[in-house]
Each structure stands twice: as C-alpha cells, then as structure tokens.
Amino acid sequence: VEDAFCKLAEGKVDVPMPMHITIDETDSAGPGDCHVKGGYVSGAATWTVKVASVSFYKSGGPPGGGVFVVMNAVTGQPCGIF
C-alpha cells in the first residue's frame, strides 16, 4: 500500500474520475445509484475496476452490492472477479 501511494505521488498511477449512474425510481427499477471506479499502477501486473451499487433500500434485499474485476495488464484477460 505504501508503494502504491508513493507511485501516486510520483504521478505513476492512472485513476480516472469515477463514473456515476443514477437509477431513477420507476415501476420497474430503482431508486439507486451505481459507481464505477478503476485504476492502474504503472508497472503493475494487473489493473482493477470496481462496480458498486448503493441506495437500493426499497428492493427488500441488501441496499447495495458490487464486484471487483482484476485484469491482466499484459493480456487484458480477467484474472478474477470478486
């Protein structure tokens, strides 16, 4: 973790602005929100994207959930979905 923060300070981390999707409340959806975030540390073997859902409190289930997708930085293939 310390090394990653050092590389961030050195400008060697690509962390794009988060994406936000609003799920409006309708008869068939929502209300809720989706956040997509990701990043890559220069020279790392993988890069990661996180998709998280929040505020789905009217669904009757958990109010949110999400996944991390870890990708191989050489082949572009998924290494794991968590």
Side-chain angles (χ1 to χ4, degrees):
V1 173
E2 181 179 348
D3 183 54
F5 276 107
C6 288
K7 288 189 177 182
L8 179 63
E10 295 167 359
K12 295 181 180 177
V13 178
D14 186 8
V15 184
M17 293 295 296
M19 183 173 68
H20 175 259
I21 301 169
T22 300
I23 311 301
D24 295 327
E25 184 173 8
T26 65
D27 290 338
S28 60
D33 297 285
C34 172
H35 303 153
V36 181
K37 301 175 182 175
Y40 174 66
V41 177
S42 182
T46 60
W47 54 275
T48 303
V49 175
K50 177 183 84 168
V51 178
S53 62
V54 296
S55 304
F56 285 86
Y57 55 88
K58 290 189 174 182
S59 69
V67 297
F68 286 91
V69 181
V70 179
M71 305 291 288
N72 183 297
V74 174
T75 67
Q77 298 299 309
C79 298
I81 300 173
F82 306 94

